Amino acid sequence: MAPPEPFKKPQVTVRKDYIPYEIKNRREWDPNYHGPMSDVDSDEDRHDGDVDTPSGPYVSGRPPMDCKSMRSISQHGGGRAPALTLKTDLNSKGKATPKRQEQSKIPFDFKPDNLAKAAFRKQQPCQSVFCLPKDCSEIKPNRARMYDMLEEIGVRLESFIRPPQHDKDRELQIWGNKLSVRNTIAELQSWVNPVRSQRELKPSAKDKFSSEMSTTGTKYKDIRKKMLRDAAVQRFQLVPSPRENFAYDGVFLWPTDEIRTEEVLGASLEAFDPIRFQLQCHIVFDNKLSAFKVSTSEPQSVQKAFERFEGTMKEYIARNNRRAVEYLVEVQEMSSLLTDVKVLPSTSPNTDGIMIPVKAGKSLTLGSRSIWLEQVERIKLQNNRRLEQALERVVPNLQFHRGQVRIRVHFGTFGLTLFCWPKDADSIPLETFVNNVAKPGSKGILIRDLQTKIDAATIVARTNSSISIFQPLSNSIFKLEDVPASFSARFTFQNAESVPMQFTFDMSAESSDDAIYEKTASLWTRLDRGENATPLEVYMANLEDGASWKLQASVGNAVDPSRITPKMRAFEHSVRLKKEAPRAGVELTGQKAFKWQKSLPGVMQPSTFEQKTSFRFRLVHNMDYIFEISRYDTYGDPQDENKSVQATWAATLWNTEWDSILAVNIGLGIGQSASWNPRISTFFQPGKDVDRSQDVDPGVLELVKTIGIITRFLDGLKQDSSDQHEWNDFEYRTQ
């Protein structure tokens, strides 16, 4: 008997069309799946380009299962490998024809495919990309669950998400229409946010230690970035060749710890470019020496460059020096003779949280009035000395400020924002209040509001009738009634794309007869450097319901002309003055006098608009002083844009000599300082009849005397009285 022939595994030929779609494509999104067709699928994975993909609409239902049921795998004895038992039929030639294995159905509870996944299989570009904040292993350690979740999101939202290809891959590519892609990104963002917050609240022990590879990579990036930056700086600095010889060389040490070169001179030290071209020299910064090297062929260029370097350091120190802020209290001899002070909330608009100090308490007795007069003289002397000390600290530093420097005296209402006050105390003594306000922790503000109790027509009439105090600014005008009004527009831009800015546009006329207005000034300023823009602020608080004042020295943060964009230029050219504005009585009605293009394409639009209508006069006792009383109108009513929403009155005083002296600072270059004498007498000249017995500078006493004339005039405006006889008595007392 012949031995039986060994069992031969029949050759099974399987067509791709008969492989179920779920089994054929599941391995692409589920790496842990090992189904019964793993042997067959391994051959097909090598030919992904031969796999057919649906090209029609969304695949609905299940594909037909043409395969027969799969027989069980029997275990043969003798330790042999398991054999596959197949059911065969005999064909016409008598050969056995194997039949297709019957696959087990996979219980999917969602649709197997959609148009987004079909687009992915056709290798079409993705519609969007979502980047994970951390590696896949840190977000979800179980990769299989993450893949299932991404597949479920894609099927539910009719999109397809290509999962990460490895642990360091953070990019998720998304296919689908606009709606499905937007919903998918929102779903992924909601999934990532809890993971991110959980990582911040519960850091792992691994976060406390940095790996060696990550630290090395970070250092390499920092060193490379520094090398590229140094190379760019040398390229912009026009570093000479090492072979080139110069007749004069110099080294200027720079305090890099106190003054960083990038903050003062720019990222590529471009602030010294004017010095390079003016002095015809090479200026190179050496990081190892922390010094500037100057190479030139001119004999005086090295010394002049060193002087400019020193001036740059002085300018930086002057701008970052501590501001001189003083809070003084004005005490009048002919006052209500009240001994205490209390604070009341401000009634002016947009002044929440500001307290106004006023006199309160009991009146003085006849026996204590002599003591009161001595206290008044002591407080006045103390105020004058503190004012002089503040000017001595600030005036020498003003010559190092470049740009528009101004000294002004503003009048309004004084309010406190931070001050020392005893607990549960309604009022405190006057001398205690003066000492508390002088403490360094106190903070106050001058509200730009005179809080007058009369209407605008009365204010203008009383100003025009004060011929003993004011006179017209122009020599061609003889009456105060003929002084024309000046208009100023202030636009504020609060854009997220750039820093907050302000544009001021001034227009004035020589006389009110011709009413021909011309542009006198236009300036773009930045509003993000307010602290360094006011080196001097001296407040004088009036507790008798009168006008308070503030002496302020400000440095305008003007935008450089090279930094003004075309949009800013287009808006500046579109601002105009209405033709009917000069004769419309804007100071009385508050009508808008300016107009600008609002529908012009490419023109930036302001967030707020404020208009100032002012009258300017000269003082009779000193022709160098100019007094300006102004009405400020804020517009923003959506129903009526030409109607003023808020109107306040304020006043300003300045000397023409101040502007003439400080005009030198506008043309200063970097490292240069003004040539005027840095003394108090340069700005404040003593008067003829000033009391020189006090140990105070005579120019300061003359300034206080001039300010006193204006405060008495403004106190008369705040009186709620229409009696002309009483106003004439006040005018006589002012003389």
Side-chain angles (χ1 to χ4, degrees), residues 190-306:
S190 62
W191 167 61
V192 170
N193 288 337
V195 176
R196 182 182 299 174
S197 61
Q198 185 178 5
R199 295 286 299 176
E200 294 175 356
L201 295 176
K202 297 180 180 179
S204 61
K206 186 176 66 175
D207 297 338
K208 299 180 181 179
F209 303 94
S210 58
S211 61
E212 182 179 354
M213 295 299 296
S214 62
T215 305
T216 305
T218 303
K219 288 185 177 179
Y220 171 75
K221 292 180 180 179
D222 294 342
I223 294 174
R224 186 174 181 273
K225 186 185 297 184
K226 185 176 182 300
M227 292 175 60
L228 294 176
R229 184 174 64 252
D230 293 344
V233 170
Q234 292 183 2
R235 184 171 65 254
F236 287 116
Q237 290 177 353
L238 302 178
V239 178
S241 175
R243 302 177 182 178
E244 189 175 357
N245 297 326
F246 295 93
Y248 304 96
D249 294 324
V251 178
F252 185 87
L253 298 178
W254 188 269
T256 54
D257 295 337
E258 292 81 7
I259 306 176
R260 299 185 59 182
T261 55
E262 293 83 1
E263 295 181 358
V264 181
L265 307 176
S268 58
L269 309 182
E270 66 273 7
F272 279 162
D273 288 345
I275 303 178
R276 295 186 179 96
F277 293 109
Q278 292 173 9
L279 303 181
Q280 297 181 1
C281 61
H282 294 276
I283 302 175
V284 182
F285 184 74
D286 192 346
N287 291 321
K288 296 182 180 180
L289 298 178
S290 297
F292 284 97
K293 293 183 178 180
V294 182
S295 302
T296 180
S297 300
E298 301 294 332
Q300 301 296 330
S301 295
V302 176
Q303 183 63 29
K304 292 181 180 179
F306 285 178

Side-chain angles (χ1 to χ4, degrees), residues 547-586:
S548 303
W549 55 270
K550 175 182 67 172
L551 176 62
Q552 180 182 21
S554 61
V555 180
N557 294 317
V559 180
D560 191 82
S562 61
R563 301 295 181 91
I564 298 179
T565 62
K567 290 185 178 180
M568 299 165 63
R569 291 289 186 190
F571 178 81
E572 179 178 350
H573 296 330
S574 66
V575 179
R576 294 287 185 273
L577 187 67
K578 295 181 179 179
K579 296 181 179 180
E580 65 276 6
R583 302 186 181 278
V586 179

Side-chain angles (χ1 to χ4, degrees), residues 491 571 574-576 592 594-598 605-606 609:
F491 304 90
F571 178 81
S574 66
V575 179
R576 294 287 185 273
K592 184 186 292 186
F594 289 91
K595 62 180 180 178
W596 63 92
Q597 292 287 345
K598 298 183 179 179
Q605 295 299 324
F609 168 66

Side-chain angles (χ1 to χ4, degrees), residues 63 85 133 273 353 455 462 571 583 647 695:
T85 304
D273 288 345
D455 56 355
R462 290 186 177 182
F571 178 81
R583 302 186 181 278
D695 189 15

Side-chain angles (χ1 to χ4, degrees), residues 27 32 46 82 100 104 154 157 196 205 237 250 268 291 372 380 397 441 492 499 507 513 533 545 565 652 676 685 729:
R27 291 188 61 185
N32 296 327
R46 303 187 186 98
R100 176 69 177 177
S104 59
L157 301 178
R196 182 182 299 174
Q237 290 177 353
S268 58
W372 167 261
K380 285 185 176 181
N397 293 332
T492 305
V499 297
M507 299 197 73
D513 296 336
D545 195 20
T565 62
T652 308
W676 43 264
Q685 298 291 336
D729 292 343

